[in-house]
Amino acid sequence: MIDTRSQIASHFPTVPLIEGATPIRRLSRLESLCGADRQNIAIYVKRDDLGEIGGGGNKLRKLELLLGKALADGADTVITIGGIQSNHARLTAAACARHGLACELMLADMVPRHDVAYRNNGNVMLDDLFGAKVHRLAPNVDALAAAQDRAVALREQGRRAMVVPSGGSSPLGALGYVRCALEVIEQEAILGTTFERVVVPNGSSGTQAGLVAGFHLAGRGAQTVNAYSVLADRDVTHARTVQLAGETLALLGHSASALSADDVVIDGAHRGEAYGIPTQGMLDAVRLLARSEGLLLDPVYSGKAFAGLLADIRAGAVPAGTSVLYVMTGGTPGLFAYREAFAG
Ligand SMILES: *Cc1c(COP(=O)(O)O)cnc(C)c1O
């Protein structure tokens, strides 16, 4: 059984995409502006948005393992899928550039936004800069099937292509967030703080599933992790996250059934109408964090999750005295794609 960061590193090949532990810092000005200080709630952020390449973001932790496997298996090309403004696609393109792999992206129209900024700026502009080949899929095309077909076609030309699933959220990708949970626990000892609540957005579920598995392994209680779903509805997201967390534990030689459905805590009330559609709470949260702390959330994931955290603090749903760790997952380029949403 594999339980520690060094055991993970020796069992699974990785490529380095993040230098050392990402910093954790306290948001004192935000605490007083949102009323957390009066409830003795401390809010810290973990800067997983500060990756060393590609503009940073949570997908780098998953790609450390996914590209590690691609290189170990002798692949020369990585194909992945996402929406037009996929942060995962952009970071896959950057990480492939860094490690000398060709990258192809199958991008689907997942969000009904048709303005020039959404279609051509932000992440999709960077995909091109990082040298990825971008395929814009017609509506109703199954992106994963298109990626697999493309891999077959490339193999016929003698190339060795590997397909990475949406968001990098396979059990192997989720191991990146098992490592993050163990990193947080090491940082707690240095900071002299225990985080009773670790907050993240949940899109394709690998981030939460990995953290849940990691806190469980460390004997800290998987319920430490609280997510806000932003993509599928709450129940679909919950079932997928329970499944993926179990598969991630199994990959480490642990029993998947050690986790129960109650161990996975997800709130679906802050997604709004659908994935990628702005909410007032998101706009307010992005502005509040920018103006109080000089930090950038994103419009699709972290803005909605942070809006959920702020709403819960204001509603008294976070117990007094809690130390909260909000994991900043990146996505800054998405702000430029949502210029019109912020113009009002
Ligand atoms: C992908 C993404 C998430 C969600 O992570 P999952 O592992 O897909 O649940 C959160 N924030 C940002 C900025 C992302 O790009």
Side-chain angles (χ1 to χ4, degrees):
M1 288 204 285
I2 299 169
D3 300 290
T4 64
R5 288 215 291 158
S6 60
Q7 287 169 344
I8 294 173
S10 61
H11 280 81
F12 299 93
T14 57
V15 297
L17 298 172
I18 299 165
E19 286 293 325
T22 60
I24 291 180
R25 82 163 168 94
R26 189 162 175 179
L27 305 184
S28 309
R29 276 177 46 74
L30 178 83
E31 284 170 14
S32 60
L33 283 169
C34 76
D37 60 344
R38 290 185 291 284
Q39 302 174 59
N40 195 24
I41 294 169
I43 307 175
Y44 291 77
V45 283
K46 180 160 176 65
R47 301 294 310 280
D48 271 23
D49 56 323
L50 292 180
E52 199 233 330
I53 60 161
N58 66 336
K59 302 309 180 305
L60 291 179
R61 286 191 189 270
K62 305 176 187 181
L63 287 163
E64 288 194 316
L65 288 128
L66 295 165
L67 295 198
K69 178 169 168 48
L71 289 173
D73 290 353
D76 56 17
T77 306
V78 169
I79 307 172
T80 197
I81 64 175
I84 306 256
Q85 287 297 332
S86 167
N87 298 303
H88 165 67
R90 180 241 318 164
L91 287 168
T92 303
C96 283
R98 172 61 162 270
H99 288 281
L101 290 158
C103 180
E104 300 204 10
L105 304 172
M106 301 290 175
L107 303 186
D109 250 326
M110 293 173 63
V111 177
R113 291 187 77 82
H114 306 289
D115 55 290
V116 173
Y118 188 85
R119 302 199 67 80
N120 296 317
N121 203 341
N123 285 292
V124 72
M125 174 193 156
L126 299 180
D127 294 342
D128 190 50
L129 270 185
F130 291 129
K133 183 174 172 73
V134 173
H135 305 262
R136 292 190 187 230
L137 301 179
N140 303 322
V141 170
D142 176 342
L144 189 58
Q148 278 152 354
D149 289 349
R150 180 71 185 149
V152 170
L154 287 173
R155 278 179 210 128
E156 280 163 6
Q157 298 168 24
R159 302 257 300 274
R160 293 185 302 276
M162 179 178 117
V163 175
V164 167
S166 174
S169 288
S170 61
L172 186 65
L175 277 191
Y177 270 90
V178 173
R179 301 211 300 176
C180 180
L182 302 175
E183 180 178 304
V184 167
I185 291 168
E186 287 171 16
Q187 288 176 296
E188 285 179 334
I190 297 164
L191 290 164
T193 304
T194 301
F195 299 111
E196 289 92 6
R197 188 176 290 220
V198 174
V199 178
V200 284
N202 185 324
S204 64
S205 308
T207 302
Q208 184 180 14
L211 290 171
V212 161
F215 278 98
H216 171 80
L217 277 185
R220 277 282 296 278
Q223 292 183 9
T224 304
V225 187
N226 282 229
Y228 297 91
S229 58
V230 301
L231 202 161
D233 70 30
R234 187 258 170 214
D235 291 350
V236 168
T237 306
H238 185 263
R240 189 173 56 205
T241 306
V242 173
Q243 167 89 18
L244 184 55
E247 290 169 0
T248 305
L249 283 176
L251 187 60
L252 296 171
H254 290 260
S255 162
S257 59
L259 279 178
S260 74
D262 293 344
D263 287 325
V264 174
V265 182
I266 302 178
D267 180 346
H270 295 275
R271 180 186 65 165
E273 222 177 295
Y275 175 69
I277 298 189
T279 62
Q280 190 60 48
M282 177 280 286
L283 294 169
D284 293 345
V286 171
R287 289 196 176 103
L288 180 62
L289 202 61
R291 291 169 192 192
S292 60
E293 299 283 352
L295 292 176
L296 296 174
L297 295 165
D298 84 282
V300 177
Y301 299 91
S302 57
K304 288 181 178 177
F306 208 84
L309 174 62
L310 291 171
D312 282 348
I313 290 172
R314 288 178 180 135
V318 178
T322 303
S323 272
V324 175
L325 181 65
Y326 182 83
V327 181
M328 291 192 72
T329 47
T332 307
L335 288 169
F336 303 104
Y338 280 78
R339 184 188 164 280
E340 286 191 2
F342 286 93

